[in-house]
Amino acid sequence: MNALEVRNVCYDYPDGTRALRGISFTLAEGERLGLIGPNGAGKSTLLWHLNGLLPDPLTQASSVTVFDLPMLPSHLPLIRARVGLLFQNPDDQLFCPTVADDVAFGPQQLGLSSTEIDARVKTSLSQVALPGFEPRHPHRLSHGEKHRVALAGLLAADARLLLLDEPSAGLDPRGRRELQSLLRSLPQAQIIATHDLELVVALCQRVLLLNQGQVVACGPTRDLLNDEPLMLANGLERPHCLRHPHPHD
Ligand code: ADP
């Protein structure tokens, strides 16, 4: 079973902006895919489609299938539990008075018992290296900690596909390193939309390059990111780590 099958997805915003023009790709279970492209390429719009945040993208010619479930209105509650979207700005995602309440929000929607919810909150906070943060106030945490609390909420809800929108933006070098090892340690399929191409090289087996709402290229990370003419033509640069590889890489 694939984690995701996307076929010919198109989307125009209500003001007429054409954001996605026939996007197709698949994602295997457990795979990490880098979603790259210049600003305005359609990366965030595509992520929002994949857990049904935008109006139904299905027409006769297009489809999104998540773990074998077609994106139909009747499947949306289940799809939204399986697919966790980590917002670019964690302040848009965290809204409860305590970390425990925020992380518990997803599992509560699944109707689990309070004992099970407490256990999930504890486990997922440990997974993101924030054990004991339950009573803390989310808005008094650092940017990196807020991101990890938001991620813990997705893990507590048992998301099997994680969509990460610019997860390393705003992190200091240590926070970025911690994020990288955290994402590597998670077994879930992941789509990482980012300008941080070093992160993509470190984590992603494959890359999908978007420009002007279209898939320009999709393939193995190093092949694609090493293609200097392709990168430059799409407003990107070959990442430093590929131009000057470390001898032990
Ligand atoms: P990226 O994440 O790659 O920067 P986006 O998905 O944010 O790209 O944007 C894709 C296109 O859709 C851009 O042309 C952008 O200006 C447009 N867009 C994004 N959000 C909206 C919106 N709410 N209304 C109208 N156009 C939008």
Side-chain angles (χ1 to χ4, degrees):
M1 190 197 332
N2 279 322
L4 189 62
E5 291 173 14
V6 174
R7 192 167 56 90
N8 195 33
V9 165
C10 301
Y11 184 70
D12 294 346
Y13 278 100
D15 69 357
T17 305
R18 183 140 289 188
L20 300 176
R21 308 163 190 245
I23 305 283
S24 300
F25 67 99
T26 58
L27 181 77
E29 282 205 75
E31 185 181 9
R32 286 188 295 264
L33 177 76
L35 180 58
I36 65 170
N39 285 335
K43 303 182 293 297
S44 300
T45 308
L46 178 59
L47 293 188
W48 296 333
H49 264 92
L50 302 181
N51 76 342
L53 280 182
L54 291 175
D56 185 3
L58 292 180
T59 62
Q60 284 207 315
S62 73
S63 61
V64 175
T65 307
V66 181
F67 298 106
D68 282 352
L69 278 179
M71 181 103 47
L72 299 172
S74 58
H75 292 151
L76 279 184
L78 192 50
I79 286 180
R80 291 202 179 119
R82 296 238 167 114
V83 181
L85 174 61
L86 189 73
F87 291 16
Q88 190 166 342
N89 180 356
D91 288 326
D92 293 339
Q93 196 142 19
L94 303 174
F95 51 88
C96 293
T98 68
V99 165
D101 291 341
D102 247 316
V103 177
F105 184 80
Q108 274 161 355
Q109 305 309 302
L110 302 174
L112 302 172
S113 72
S114 60
T115 320
E116 171 69 19
I117 292 172
D118 289 348
R120 285 192 181 202
V121 169
K122 195 162 190 274
T123 307
S124 60
L125 282 174
S126 294
Q127 267 185 297
V128 301
L130 295 176
F133 268 56
E134 284 90 337
R136 300 279 294 269
H137 190 298
H139 290 288
R140 298 215 186 97
L141 303 177
S142 75
H143 183 81
E145 288 167 342
K146 286 179 189 175
H147 248 320
R148 282 191 275 152
V149 169
L151 186 55
L154 306 182
L155 299 177
D158 210 11
R160 291 167 59 191
L161 165 60
L162 300 174
L163 309 175
L164 305 136
D165 197 352
E166 288 289 359
S168 63
L171 295 182
D172 62 19
R174 184 177 54 187
R176 194 181 159 284
R177 270 199 312 279
E178 287 170 355
L179 173 84
Q180 188 172 309
S181 53
L182 170 60
L183 294 182
R184 185 180 282 123
S185 73
L186 296 175
Q188 285 87 351
Q190 298 167 28
I191 300 184
I192 305 175
T194 185
H195 291 300
D196 183 346
L197 299 184
E198 316 276 336
L199 187 76
V200 171
V201 171
L203 289 177
C204 300
Q205 295 94 338
R206 257 191 331 138
V207 166
L208 187 78
L209 168 58
L210 286 190
N211 200 354
Q212 298 188 338
Q214 287 178 309
V215 177
V216 176
C218 184
T221 301
R222 280 167 186 267
D223 294 355
L224 211 135
L225 299 194
N226 257 323
D227 186 336
E228 189 133 41
L230 178 73
M231 297 297 281
L232 291 176
N234 290 283
L236 301 171
E237 282 177 357
R238 244 171 104 202
H240 183 81
C241 63
L242 293 183
R243 274 183 276 157
H244 305 286
H246 191 276
H248 302 300
D249 280 353

